[in-house]
Amino acid sequence: MILRSVTDLFFVHKMIMRGDFMNKTLIMVSSITYAIKARDILVSYGYRSYIETTPGHLDKVGCGYSVSVNGNADEAEKILTSNGIKVLGRVDINGVS
Amino acid sequence: MVYLDNAATTSPKPQTVRQAISKAMEESVVNPGRSGTATAKAVAEQIFECRKKAAKLFGAKAPENVVFTLNCTHALNYVIKGALKKGDHVIVSSLEHNAVMRPIDKLKKDGFIDYDIAQVFPFDTDMTVRSFERLIRKNTTMIICTHASNVFGVINPIYEIGQLCKNRDIMFTVDCAQTAGVLPVDMEEFGITFLCCAGHKGLYGPMGTGLLITDGTGLKTVIEGGTGNNSHSFDQPEDLPERLESGTMNTAGILALSKGIDFVNKNTPAMIYNHEMRLIQTAYKLLKNNKKVMFYHTFPLKWQFVPVLSFNVSGVSSMQTAEFFSKNNIAVRAGYHCAPLAHKMFGTEAFGTVRISTSAFSVENDIKKLVYAVNKFTSLKNNY
């Protein structure tokens, strides 16, 4: 990425703070409904978060949904549980935590 | 056609609702929650959006507490059969619809529960609340009350009954079939445990839509099956809404209902209520001039009634009157409106009543045509 202005710098700083350059983590929840709710909560906290189907080999419950999050996954999980979202598990690119 | 049967289902539906149905049938023919396609996810998001709108409209704690059902009856059955335990005692109002009376009476006949009927004293909040309070027993676990009578339009004091339930730790179920989208309801403020309503009446959604909204209180399931989650287990999921939403959902209906709720929010329930009540009051005033028309209550004042008005033509069965209207292209409802308790209370068991009910789309000319038809009918020498 070539930085051409202060605005670019500002956005890069924002991306670093948001954890965009960190590993992606999948936080598994119980259904599509809770995935949407979880995504909305994380986005409201400034995270970049998306709804994803839980990959088959990681899906313990069957037909599972997850939210992906870049950044501090511990904090993201804490935010979700404090907002009443049941977290079924967590997966990052290095394995299941 | 002059359509004055909006308490059965509102007609016409807003254009946005009709468009949403056909759009859904063209662009959203997927099974949300069952597959991970982009379209399925997008539709699931729209369904969640509808839950959010409904939760906000009724002051529910969270969107996931909004369960989609087929209609209000379906929602009430889920509550009655899902919340009550053997040996429980239930109190219902004397204005309940058969959507409450039939399931509750079946449970009683099966020896599962017992129930009592609390007399409603129209417009006397204290007497009505005392009437419920007097019937409370040690094993009373639920009070079920319609927000407003589907026959006579009388509004029940659900806020006050809700406070009674809160104080006595009793679950409070409210049938909002006739009030959703018309009267303000806040579940948390009113102390409502379960709110049931149709999606196709005052919320202007399509038929085949209804809502059950809980305060988070758990329910046993009445129907189990595929929910699109937790598929490895034979146990029904614990979490709402999936716990109560087995099988493929009425996606097109829900997306259209979402537009119906938008319509209500845009026009505001207060504006819709004022408009509909003004027409009902006009009908009452004009029909009152005809000595052969019988009413069963005083002038329908705002906040005492919802826009539903019952009457009869002296000496004629309600069905005969409605048949005459039908021939004159006017749609009304006649008979017993599935609410025998209400007829018993108002003394109309013999003939039933002719019921008119307005919507946001009703106009003064509809009322004038109705009044003209009534006057024509009563002036006919051989009408009965």
Side-chain angles (χ1 to χ4, degrees), chain A residues 30-34 36-37 39-40 51-53 59-65 83-86, chain B residues 33-36 41 44-45 48 51-52 62-64 228-233 239-242:
Chain A
S30 65
S31 68
I32 181 81
T33 306
Y34 288 92
I36 295 168
K37 185 171 180 177
R39 189 269 324 269
D40 288 352
I51 299 160
E52 301 198 14
T53 45
D59 185 8
K60 294 172 195 164
V61 294
C63 306
Y65 277 87
N83 278 279
I85 306 277
K86 231 181 264 173
Chain B
R34 306 301 202 266
S35 65
K41 280 184 196 165
E45 298 244 17
F48 190 72
R51 293 190 208 278
K52 282 205 279 190
E64 61 269 25
N229 69 328
N230 205 24
S231 302
H232 290 328
S233 172
D239 295 329
L240 287 174
E242 283 81 9

Side-chain angles (χ1 to χ4, degrees), chain A residues 78-92:
Chain A
K78 212 178 282 174
I79 289 169
L80 293 182
T81 49
S82 67
N83 278 279
I85 306 277
K86 231 181 264 173
V87 172
L88 304 181
R90 225 171 77 187
V91 188
D92 57 39

Side-chain angles (χ1 to χ4, degrees), chain B residues 322-333:
Chain B
E323 204 181 310
F324 178 81
F325 290 158
S326 178
K327 282 177 189 160
N328 285 271
N329 227 12
I330 298 172
V332 298
R333 173 89 186 259

Side-chain angles (χ1 to χ4, degrees), chain A residues 23-27 42 47-50 67-71 73 76:
Chain A
N23 290 342
K24 189 168 88 171
T25 303
L26 287 182
I27 299 177
L42 290 174
Y47 283 87
R48 180 180 285 188
S49 177
Y50 299 98
V67 278
S68 67
V69 62
N70 287 58

Side-chain angles (χ1 to χ4, degrees), chain B residues 161-306:
Chain B
I161 299 169
Q163 305 316 302
L164 170 70
C165 289
K166 265 188 197 172
N167 295 338
R168 305 292 288 263
D169 200 19
I170 292 170
M171 292 182 283
F172 186 33
T173 301
V174 182
D175 173 355
C176 288
Q178 298 302 330
T179 57
V182 179
L183 293 183
V185 180
D186 187 301
M187 285 185 71
E188 290 218 71
E189 191 191 334
F190 286 35
I192 298 172
T193 318
F194 302 108
L195 182 149
C196 303
C197 71
H200 62 97
K201 295 185 180 182
L203 298 181
Y204 292 89
M207 283 86 85
T209 59
L211 297 173
L212 157 57
I213 311 180
T214 85
D215 70 348
T217 301
L219 283 171
K220 287 176 287 176
T221 53
V222 176
I223 293 173
E224 297 84 23
T227 54
N229 69 328
N230 205 24
S231 302
H232 290 328
S233 172
F234 288 157
D235 293 331
Q236 190 73 0
E238 288 295 326
D239 295 329
L240 287 174
E242 283 81 9
R243 180 171 174 75
L244 301 175
E245 288 180 348
S246 292
T248 298
M249 299 173 80
N250 178 6
T251 300
I254 294 164
L255 300 191
L257 171 62
S258 191
K259 295 294 178 189
I261 297 174
D262 287 344
F263 173 83
V264 170
N265 284 330
K266 190 179 165 195
N267 291 283
T268 77
M271 290 278 283
I272 294 171
Y273 177 71
N274 285 336
H275 168 74
E276 294 181 9
M277 277 306 290
R278 190 177 55 78
L279 296 177
I280 287 294
Q281 290 175 334
T282 303
Y284 188 97
K285 274 184 209 160
L286 295 176
L287 289 172
K288 193 83 181 156
N289 295 330
N290 187 327
K291 299 293 170 212
K292 285 185 179 172
V293 173
M294 302 186 301
F295 288 112
Y296 301 95
H297 53 72
T298 51
F299 182 74
L301 290 173
K302 274 206 271 185
W303 309 117
Q304 289 187 344
F305 291 87
V306 289

